[in-house]
Amino acid sequence: MLTIRDLTAHYGAAQALFGVDLDVAAGQTVALVGANGAGKSTLLKCLMGLVKPSGGAITLDGREVTGTSPAQMVRRGLALSPEGREVFGHLSVFENLQLGALPLKLGRNEEKLRLEEVFARFPKLKERHQQLAGTLSGGEQQMLAMGRALMANPRLLLLDEPSLGLAPLITDEIFAIIHQLARGGTTILLVEQNAARALSASDRAYLLANGRIVEQGESAALLNDPRLRAAFLGAASHENPAASRLGAAGLTNIRLEKPDMHQLDFMPTFETDDELKQHQLSGLQWTVRHAFEGSSFYRNRLEQAGLTPDAIQSLDDLRKLPFTTADDLRDDYPFPLRAVPFEQIVRVHASSGTTGKRKVLSYTQKDIDDWTDFFARCYQMAGVTPLDRVQIAVGYGVWTAGMGFQLGCEKIGAMSVPAGPGNLDMQIQFLLDFQSTVFCSTASMALLMAEEIHRRGIADKIAVNKIIYGSERSSRSMRQKISELFGGAELFDITGLTELYGPGTGIECREHDCIHYWGDYYLLEILDPGTLQPVPEGEWGEMVVTTLCKEGAPLLRYRTRDITRIIPGRCTCGSVLPRHSRIKGRTDDTIKFRGVNIYPSSIDTILSAVPGLGSEYQIHLTRDAGGKDHMLLKVERAVGVAATRNAELIHEAVHQIKKQLLVSAELELVEYGELPRSERKSQRVFDTRLTDEIV
Ligand code: ZN
């Protein structure tokens, strides 16, 4: 929408701006952060036509507007809420607001409509519409200045130092309003000295010092950059040269709101694959010795395989080790795989198994600390900061989910809302009242919430910008639906299993095309579930894990049954941490249909690609009297798609399934919302055939 190129400005002989480049895209909130005298206000004045630039170009919607008069800029859709508010003290609130629309020469009805909109957003201004502006408090004057700018119904709202001189509580209120405006679709250029506030309220940011842009990027990334955090907090020194550029600009007095935020880095310290491998080898050697010496279960297994701890000389020796399975855990109930004395165990967790004995895992304090640290890493990778509010809507109790999300959240210093699962009314109320910015749940629960938010029409009243979900597969269209109904939230698939500490053993990064897993805490092998031999790199197979520092219940080649594949090479996000694909399914939920092995997720993928179909579906498998198998897919139409399109949609979906999976399926379309939703994992496969095993 707005492009600034190579902008320079002078006050007499003194140069205030030196070749500034800056972009604001429609719908974005962009922050321009800098200390007093950095050139922020000059830049805004150039934009509004109040100062004539000495060089460079300003383009609005593709048209050059450099040097255009202030009144014309307002007509082109710009409005400024100036530094120091500049309200007219001897005029009433009402009269001040009228002035905002003056250059537009609106009719009486149009003006009344605008006033009503502004009053709806600022009820305090409505209460005081007859009061003289000079008698308002600082916060109310700021609201008036913003309201006056909004009277012009701007396409681009320029906010100059909205928090300047306001108490923290009032600043909260002002920023909540800025946030609502942004979610309502207003494009905002926010100029601020308060770096933490500005970065946490914006999508992108530019740091301005001495008339030059010194840093720019995604706000969350800047906020998380340890170098910048140090710079915000410290003055330049030999130990901290990075501070000099920003420090010289006076930014050192800007404190992030939680004091030790700059120390919160949970990424590994190694930088190369060789360093990682060295770390992994010593971890593997330690683990095998620890298991051999501490656990009678593992000692028996290793002895049966003719192995002693000295057998591990390289990472390849991993292949010599015997496998461990879920059955081993059940057989060894109630403290399976325990490798330390009971005195060292501080906690047990159990999986929420419905059949047979639960899988129980023992934890030492170090295990809990490690889990906490790498869960904090998950939040860090998703860009969660100490300024976030994390609503944790997963199960608390003996299972690992709630505990993991909670510990990691507190570790990273964000505000946690331990809501627990279910109870949609309460969840919605918390989203509204606490203005949670991150929502954690299963994918099914996230979908339920998304639909509830949509039903109540409150997407622009909540503040969620990230959803961290796990513990079940989710199709592309389900992800899209959730993101969209949540008002454009970013989704992060988090992995984990109770046997391997719990959730948080890997997460999607902000490039959103892989899961990074914590190769410094466990080894991952991808094996053919039939032959138990490694598959070629990049092919799908069963994920098998071996822990590197787990004390209470270490895992040696534990078969997770999860299907994924290694993605070779470095991620474009720059992380050294290795990666795999999102979990495609489990070895025990592959469908065998007319001799073809099908992962339910491939049906997800195919249905997701047919426009007009919704995200919810069921797979029904039946066998007729003649012994022939049939597959019936019950699929919801997308919202607003009419039943008159049924024939066309069915034809397309059946055709795609035939083409891609080489099987014939029948399709039945149902109304959007007709298939059951659940807060836990939704059942999708209904198989009433006699299985091969029973036969
Ligand atoms: Zn990445």
Side-chain angles (χ1 to χ4, degrees):
M1 178 185 277
L2 176 74
T3 311
I4 298 176
R5 285 294 171 269
D6 203 20
L7 194 75
T8 56
H10 288 77
Y11 288 112
Q15 189 163 357
L17 293 176
F18 298 81
V20 169
D21 291 336
L22 184 146
D23 293 282
V24 181
Q28 264 190 342
T29 299
V30 173
L32 180 66
V33 183
N36 238 340
K40 307 186 306 288
S41 292
T42 308
L43 185 74
L44 280 191
K45 284 179 181 157
C46 287
L47 274 179
M48 282 310 291
L50 294 162
V51 166
K52 198 171 160 47
S54 46
I58 302 169
T59 325
L60 187 67
D61 297 319
R63 286 174 62 184
E64 182 161 355
V65 292
T66 326
T68 308
S69 77
Q72 269 204 326
M73 288 312 282
V74 174
R75 284 196 285 275
R76 293 220 161 122
L78 255 63
L80 172 69
S81 163
E83 182 187 347
R85 344 288 181 218
E86 295 183 13
V87 298
F88 296 93
H90 58 283
L91 296 181
S92 71
V93 167
F94 180 76
E95 289 162 332
N96 268 281
L97 289 175
Q98 280 182 313
L99 286 175
L102 202 61
L104 298 174
K105 305 192 175 75
L106 298 179
R108 188 176 283 253
N109 283 340
E110 175 72 357
E111 185 188 283
K112 199 163 161 244
L113 216 67
R114 297 265 172 97
L115 265 172
E116 275 165 18
E117 280 172 22
V118 169
F119 282 148
R121 200 168 289 283
F122 302 96
K124 274 191 189 158
L125 296 184
K126 187 173 188 180
E127 278 169 34
R128 305 184 176 201
H129 70 279
Q130 287 179 318
Q131 199 171 320
L132 289 185
T135 63
L136 296 176
S137 71
E140 288 160 355
Q141 291 194 0
Q142 179 58 41
M143 289 177 197
L144 180 55
M146 287 164 68
R148 187 178 56 193
L150 289 172
M151 282 298 290
N153 197 19
R155 301 192 47 240
L156 175 60
L157 177 64
L158 311 175
L159 297 176
D160 195 1
E161 302 283 2
S163 77
L164 195 68
L166 298 182
L169 264 179
I170 309 299
T171 305
D172 279 350
E173 212 173 318
I174 296 295
F175 269 85
I177 293 167
I178 294 173
H179 195 86
Q180 299 302 343
L181 286 170
R183 284 185 76 92
T186 309
T187 311
I188 299 173
L189 179 60
L190 169 65
V191 171
E192 260 289 345
Q193 281 193 51
N194 187 330
R197 291 278 190 178
L199 290 177
S200 55
S202 57
D203 305 308
R204 285 185 60 76
Y206 294 83
L207 304 192
L208 191 69
N210 299 328
R212 292 181 171 85
I213 302 287
V214 291
E215 289 287 345
Q216 59 171 299
E218 268 190 53
S219 303
L222 292 175
L223 201 49
N224 273 320
D225 185 334
R227 199 172 44 86
L228 284 180
R229 287 182 189 172
F232 285 137
L233 284 162
S237 69
H238 283 300
E239 292 77 38
N240 186 12
S244 59
R245 278 195 302 166
L246 296 161
L251 281 176
T252 49
N253 61 350
I254 299 165
R255 292 200 171 267
L256 292 172
E257 314 210 332
K258 288 185 183 164
D260 60 348
M261 195 166 156
H262 66 294
Q263 298 166 354
L264 300 180
D265 184 10
F266 299 96
M267 293 300 164
T269 49
F270 53 79
E271 281 164 7
T272 66
D273 293 343
D274 282 345
E275 284 174 82
L276 173 59
K277 288 204 166 103
Q278 194 48 52
H279 171 88
Q280 288 176 329
L281 176 59
S282 43
L284 179 63
Q285 287 171 328
W286 176 86
T287 298
V288 173
R289 185 169 301 280
H290 175 72
F292 185 84
E293 289 171 355
S295 150
S296 54
F297 168 84
Y298 278 127
R299 179 178 286 251
N300 285 339
R301 280 290 167 89
L302 289 166
E303 281 177 351
Q304 276 166 22
L307 294 173
T308 65
D310 295 327
I312 306 298
Q313 295 301 319
S314 75
L315 279 178
D316 290 337
D317 292 332
L318 174 65
R319 309 245 183 271
K320 296 178 182 168
L321 296 175
F323 291 100
T324 314
T325 65
D327 287 340
D328 293 328
L329 266 79
R330 293 201 183 90
D331 293 348
D332 208 15
Y333 186 85
F335 298 104
L337 316 186
R338 181 176 59 88
V340 297
F342 282 110
E343 300 79 62
Q344 289 181 33
I345 295 174
V346 298
R347 194 192 293 172
V348 293
H349 276 296
S351 69
S352 53
T354 46
T355 53
K357 288 172 182 161
R358 294 178 190 282
K359 290 175 266 181
V360 183
L361 280 302
S362 308
Y363 296 71
T364 66
Q365 187 57 52
K366 180 178 183 298
D367 294 337
I368 301 284
D369 292 345
D370 285 348
W371 183 27
T372 305
D373 278 356
F374 68 65
F375 210 120
R377 179 188 288 177
C378 292
Y379 284 119
Q380 188 182 349
M381 187 155 265
V384 175
T385 77
L387 303 174
D388 274 302
R389 299 170 179 197
V390 183
Q391 187 162 327
I392 303 169
V394 302
Y396 283 74
V398 76
W399 30 88
T400 47
M403 287 282 197
F405 278 94
Q406 184 69 27
L407 291 170
C409 180
E410 288 174 5
K411 186 76 183 184
I412 200 148
M415 181 174 116
S416 65
V417 181
N423 203 339
L424 289 196
D425 274 341
M426 182 188 77
Q427 304 284 0
I428 296 275
Q429 193 184 351
F430 286 176
L431 288 186
L432 287 168
D433 295 351
F434 300 160
Q435 290 287 293
S436 310
T437 55
V438 181
F439 186 75
C440 307
S441 71
T442 61
S444 303
M445 172 81 178
L447 180 65
L448 273 179
M449 285 291 289
E451 290 176 334
E452 188 63 16
I453 287 164
H454 179 65
R455 205 178 59 76
R456 300 190 188 195
I458 53 168
D460 63 341
K461 297 194 174 57
I462 60 170
V464 174
N465 55 44
K466 295 190 175 74
I467 295 170
I468 300 178
Y469 73 94
S471 94
E472 65 183 318
R473 284 178 295 104
S474 57
S475 66
R476 192 180 294 268
S477 67
M478 184 176 183
R479 282 169 62 99
Q480 265 171 12
K481 178 107 251 166
I482 294 171
S483 165
E484 189 187 308
L485 298 186
F486 259 96
E490 197 177 355
L491 265 65
F492 296 89
D493 190 346
I494 194 168
T495 58
L497 61 160
T498 307
E499 299 90 309
L500 186 60
Y501 298 90
T505 55
I507 193 170
E508 182 173 338
C509 70
R510 304 197 74 181
E511 301 287 310
H512 300 292
D513 59 0
C514 65
I515 304 274
H516 286 275
Y517 71 90
W518 312 150
D520 46 346
Y521 288 92
Y522 63 96
L523 295 172
L524 188 145
E525 297 173 87
I526 305 292
L527 304 181
D528 179 317
T531 65
L532 293 178
Q533 292 303 307
V535 298
E537 192 176 55
E539 286 189 15
W540 296 95
E542 180 178 346
M543 175 171 149
V544 173
V545 293
T546 302
T547 55
L548 297 173
C549 54
K550 199 163 178 272
E551 294 179 340
L555 299 180
L556 295 186
R557 301 192 89 189
Y558 181 73
R559 294 187 57 188
T560 66
R561 310 265 170 200
D562 282 334
I563 301 290
T564 186
R565 62 175 172 184
I566 295 287
I567 303 180
R570 276 278 172 102
C571 180
T572 41
C573 76
S575 172
V576 64
L577 288 158
R579 55 215 188 109
H580 61 72
S581 279
R582 288 170 54 215
I583 306 291
K584 183 178 177 142
R586 290 174 58 76
T587 54
D588 35 16
D589 66 13
T590 340
I591 303 166
K592 197 159 188 179
F593 180 71
R594 296 189 188 168
V596 181
N597 278 316
I598 299 170
Y599 294 116
S601 63
S602 25
I603 294 183
D604 270 2
T605 311
I606 294 169
L607 296 177
S608 293
V610 179
L613 295 183
S615 63
E616 292 305 287
Y617 67 94
Q618 293 179 343
I619 305 168
H620 294 261
L621 299 163
T622 50
R623 183 165 293 167
D624 65 21
K628 195 172 178 198
D629 288 354
H630 297 272
M631 185 191 298
L632 170 68
L633 303 175
K634 289 191 181 177
V635 188
E636 286 184 0
R637 285 189 299 274
V639 185
V641 173
T644 48
R645 288 188 55 200
N646 275 5
E648 163 213 343
L649 290 172
I650 289 172
H651 179 82
E652 176 62 13
V654 166
H655 170 71
Q656 288 301 333
I657 285 170
K658 178 84 193 174
K659 188 170 132 194
Q660 297 183 42
L661 299 181
L662 309 174
V663 298
S664 300
E666 288 168 59
L667 208 84
E668 180 186 324
L669 288 180
V670 299
E671 198 64 41
Y672 177 80
E674 201 167 298
L675 294 178
R677 268 76 167 152
S678 119
E679 287 150 11
R680 302 185 65 82
K681 303 177 190 186
S682 299
Q683 189 185 357
R684 299 200 186 279
V685 182
F686 299 82
D687 192 349
T688 58
R689 306 170 301 174
L690 293 172
T691 63
D692 295 343
E693 285 80 358
I694 294 171
V695 171

